[in-house]
Amino acid sequence: MIQVVLVIHLILALAIIGLVLIQRSEGGGLGIGGGGGGIGGLASPGATANALSRATAICAGCFFATSLLLGVLANASTSKGSILDRLDEPTAVTAPAEAGADEKADKKDDKDTPPAEPSVPVAQ
């Protein structure tokens, strides 16, 4: 169910992007949907702008609805209750491993052996 709503949500997002890009802004924009042309009142710039604005508003409303639905479905599929309810529950915290524990174990085994000489000659 979540996957279906998520696909619809993504399609709506792409539709909103496309609708916004083809609308004519005050500065011109892409302006693909408008133009001074041929069919008269059917595809006049004003009618096209109203149709694109209405389609954008419908897609935005559906996008908002799918956002809320995805939030509800995500909450239902995970743990029950609020995160604030879980503040009182004790959590098991494990202590981090001590840094250099392996090195200390190696040094205990090598107490009797002399330190290795440097591989690079040191000027005296």
Side-chain angles (χ1 to χ4, degrees):
M1 177 71 178
I2 292 178
Q3 289 84 8
V4 173
V5 177
L6 185 61
V7 168
I8 294 170
H9 189 71
L10 293 175
I11 291 171
L12 286 170
L14 293 174
I16 291 171
I17 291 170
L19 286 169
V20 167
L21 285 177
I22 64 173
Q23 289 182 25
R24 182 176 296 270
S25 66
E26 290 182 21
L30 290 179
I32 297 170
I39 305 178
L42 181 63
S44 67
T48 305
N50 287 340
L52 288 174
S53 296
R54 180 168 295 176
T56 305
I58 291 170
C59 285
C62 292
F63 183 84
F64 184 73
T66 56
S67 297
L68 291 175
L69 185 60
L70 281 171
V72 169
L73 289 175
N75 187 29
S77 67
T78 59
S79 64
K80 302 290 181 193
S82 171
I83 191 169
L84 297 176
D85 295 337
R86 288 183 261 151
L87 288 177
D88 296 332
E89 296 176 7
T91 57
V93 178
T94 58
E98 186 176 326
D102 294 333
E103 294 173 9
K104 289 180 183 178
D106 290 341
K107 287 182 182 179
K108 289 179 184 176
D109 296 337
D110 296 335
K111 282 186 178 179
D112 297 333
T113 60
E117 299 208 13
S119 60
V120 178
V122 178
Q124 295 180 358

